[in-house]
Amino acid sequence: EAGLPMMLVGRIDGPSFAVCEHMIHDAVAVEKTGLWGMAVVDIANKIPQGDAWLEATAASLMEVGIPTFVDRFNPTLPLNYPLTDTALYFGWYDWHASGPFKNPAFKFKRGAVAVHLHSFSAAQLHNSTQNWCAPLLAKGAAATLGNVYEPLLHLTHDFDIFSRRLLAGYTLVEAAYMSVPALSWHNVVLGDPLYRPLLPLAGSGEKEDADSAYRAVRIARIRWARDPAELEKQLRLAAPRMKNGVMLEALGLIFAENMQSAQAAAVFQEAKYLYTSNVDKLRMDMFVAALDRKGNRKAAAIQTLRDAKLRYAHLPEVAAATAWLNIVDPPPPPPAAPKK
């Protein structure tokens, strides 16, 4: 009946007791510092309504100064795609966890919120190789959303509303319930219901060295939001001073979203030489290859991917370069067997 109170329900569940423990402890710890890191938005170009949610999610995250990588290629991100410091993930639409989340070395940043839109993402929660919710939690996410059965797209969580409510300081469970148009047994919230990961985004909270580059990007993006030239100048000055490629990667991602592919490619190359990890260096090459793929510069994309495949042959993440290379430059079919 109208006027009856509504109880908001979150759930601590996952593939193991240890996973459930980290969901609780990580939420408590990260609330003190805030959730700082990279955002990844994987748009698979399936249905316009879902794609629009993800486009709006990416825009809102970039607007507040969270470095955001958006992939718009179909299918979803390739096997073992090189990701680092992934704090927020929004994607669709595979039946089971795929891409970077198949990499044994991948781990979300502590306290991460990670959600993949699929009708059966929470069909089971105890097998870390099946569906999406269980694998994401097993990879270190502290919170996720899911569906235990087919709700149809328009009755799933709207990721744009969900992310904006988190950015506004609402709790996980409040943001989740605000983002669905109707109460249903299909939708579940997994994580500490009172978790507020983005509340300290305004600059409060305990400061940790690992977050300093992300805090700097946030401050710069807010301070010089209406002065792109000054924003670029300040990030370019800060990156070598802090000896950190994050600022340049964030700048490159801004250029890429603004369709400034030449500037983006140049900045990604600069970031590559500030990074010390080969996984980060490979990601910069993948960004450059993506720009060339998007711009129909097939030969340049092929060359970048071939070079990366040779240079990083020892990394499991090189599988991502191989997967893209097989798309832009498919190998010849095997010879036909002679008829007997």
Side-chain angles (χ1 to χ4, degrees):
E1 295 179 12
L4 287 177
M6 183 172 64
M7 181 173 290
L8 309 185
V9 180
R11 178 172 170 182
I12 303 296
D13 203 347
S16 68
F17 181 77
V19 167
C20 294
E21 275 193 316
H22 90 65
M23 292 165 67
I24 299 169
H25 296 317
D26 289 358
V28 172
V30 171
E31 268 202 348
K32 297 176 182 177
T33 61
L35 181 59
W36 300 92
M38 300 292 299
V40 177
V41 180
D42 192 359
I43 306 173
N45 297 304
K46 291 287 185 180
I47 301 173
Q49 182 180 21
D51 292 339
W53 289 351
L54 286 163
E55 289 285 0
T57 300
S60 64
L61 295 175
M62 294 196 79
E63 183 182 344
V64 299
I66 298 174
T68 304
F69 159 47
V70 186
D71 178 78
R72 295 183 178 88
F73 294 119
N74 192 4
T76 49
L77 287 169
L79 179 66
N80 291 5
Y81 191 95
L83 296 178
T84 304
D85 282 353
T86 307
L88 295 165
Y89 165 77
F90 299 94
W92 82 325
Y93 188 87
D94 281 343
W95 191 282
H96 301 292
S98 59
F101 314 113
K102 301 291 284 186
N103 184 354
F106 175 82
K107 194 79 172 174
F108 281 106
K109 192 156 189 199
R110 189 180 191 189
V113 177
V115 193
H116 189 92
L117 179 56
H118 189 271
S119 301
F120 302 93
S121 54
Q124 62 77 40
L125 297 176
H126 298 156
N127 185 335
S128 62
T129 67
Q130 300 293 308
N131 305 107
W132 276 92
C133 290
L136 292 175
L137 295 173
K139 286 293 185 179
T144 188
L145 309 176
N147 309 296
V148 301
Y149 199 73
E150 173 65 80
L152 299 179
L153 177 60
H154 66 285
L155 292 178
T156 61
H157 296 93
D158 181 325
F159 289 176
D160 178 40
I161 295 175
F162 175 65
S163 61
R164 287 180 183 275
R165 295 301 181 270
L166 287 181
L167 289 168
Y170 287 97
T171 66
L172 171 69
V173 74
E174 289 171 330
Y177 274 75
M178 288 173 176
S179 67
V180 285
L183 290 178
S184 168
W185 60 271
H186 298 88
N187 315 118
V188 293
V189 183
L190 298 165
D192 180 345
L194 300 182
Y195 184 31
R196 295 194 291 177
L198 300 177
L199 186 62
L201 199 63
S204 62
E206 299 174 7
K207 294 178 173 59
E208 294 188 345
D209 290 344
D211 299 332
S212 59
Y214 297 105
R215 284 181 175 270
V217 171
R218 155 79 175 172
I219 292 169
R221 186 70 193 265
I222 299 305
R223 183 173 296 174
W224 295 292
R226 298 184 180 181
D227 190 346
E230 188 64 21
L231 173 64
E232 177 183 354
K233 174 186 172 182
Q234 294 298 330
L235 290 176
R236 284 184 177 277
L237 288 172
R241 184 173 66 245
M242 298 179 70
K243 298 179 180 179
N244 195 306
V246 165
M247 272 84 66
L248 291 180
E249 181 174 352
L251 179 61
L253 291 170
I254 293 170
F255 280 139
E257 285 300 295
N258 291 338
M259 307 298 180
Q260 298 170 283
S261 60
Q263 295 94 321
V267 172
F268 289 142
Q269 292 291 358
E270 293 178 42
K272 180 178 174 180
Y273 293 106
L274 275 180
Y275 277 126
T276 57
S277 165
N278 282 330
V279 172
D280 293 326
K281 292 176 183 289
L282 173 58
R283 186 172 62 259
M284 298 306 100
D285 286 341
M286 296 292 287
F287 285 165
V288 172
L291 292 168
D292 287 327
R293 285 183 66 189
K294 185 177 180 181
N296 295 316
R297 295 179 292 273
K298 180 178 175 180
I302 290 172
Q303 189 61 55
T304 296
L305 293 170
R306 283 178 177 170
D307 290 346
K309 189 175 175 181
L310 289 173
R311 186 176 299 112
Y312 306 111
H314 61 291
L315 296 179
E317 290 82 1
V318 81
T322 301
W324 273 9
L325 188 58
N326 289 340
I327 292 173
V328 296
D329 187 28
K339 294 182 179 179
K340 295 183 179 178

